[in-house]
Amino acid sequence: AQSVTQLDSQVPVFEEAPVELRCNYSSSVSVYLFWYVQYPNQGLQLLLKYLSGSTLVKGINGFEAEFNKSQTSFHLRKPSVHISDTAEYFCAVSDAVQGAQKLVFGQGTRLTINP
Amino acid sequence: DVKVTQSSRYLVKRTGEKVFLECVQDMDHENMFWYRQDPGLGLRLIYFSYDVKMKEKGDIPEGYSVSREKKERFSLILESASTNQTSMYLCASSLFAGYTFGSGTRLTVV
């Protein structure tokens, strides 16, 4: 079975500072990896995904993530954050082989941007 | 863009009531999912469906059932609502990799 661990439940950052949200996964098979963002009182929105190819993936709103197979990690980064990035961020993994593509989610990281 | 619509944003129901949460997607996706979201626990899969009239249990199916009579609609049913089912419920659909989510239904059982 797959699992996802988001290492920080809360991350406070000052505006315009860089940020990294950490995600580790475990799986015995090839995986697809995702980051989603949830703004207050909304559903989840896809930030970026890794399916294959380049291990550095660029997403919306200036975010990027790097797939590291040896460390089973998929950390999310942004070089300079804005107040509008305040949200909850979820890392997720799915089996790259099995049908239906069930996603397993981490517990979430609440990113708070302070002025 | 794919749109996933959940019929209610907020619901308040009484203990013991039968509750229906409706979800509709407009892009002919094969797969649909119901998750519940609770603070500190992330999203947990309740049920999913990969075709009409097909359903599979997720990680926490107890106390829930589902119905998928048409491809675009996936309903979550709480047979007899209990206070521990107070939560945010999220519906999603997918064709291949990655989901499109609805806005969620915040259910309170009193």
Side-chain angles (χ1 to χ4, degrees), chain A residues 32 34 36 38 41-46 49 51 88 90 100-108, chain B residues 9-10 31 33 35 37 40-43 45 48 50 90 94 96-99 101-103 106:
Chain A
Y32 297 147
F34 307 83
Y36 285 84
Q38 185 179 35
N41 298 314
Q42 294 187 26
L44 275 69
Q45 178 183 357
L46 182 67
K49 61 186 175 185
L51 304 183
E88 190 149 23
F90 291 93
Q101 303 299 330
K102 288 186 296 178
L103 285 184
V104 175
F105 287 85
Q107 300 91 331
Chain B
R9 290 299 304 275
Y10 299 95
N31 308 315
F33 307 83
Y35 285 83
Q37 181 182 10
L41 297 178
L43 280 73
L45 181 63
F48 66 101
Y50 51 87
L90 291 164
S94 79
F96 175 51
Y99 295 173
F101 280 90
S103 298
R106 187 167 294 280

Side-chain angles (χ1 to χ4, degrees), chain A residues 12-28:
Chain A
V13 181
F14 285 109
E15 194 173 16
E16 298 184 7
V19 69
E20 178 179 82
L21 305 184
R22 297 179 294 168
C23 172
N24 285 94
Y25 69 93
S26 67
S27 176
S28 58

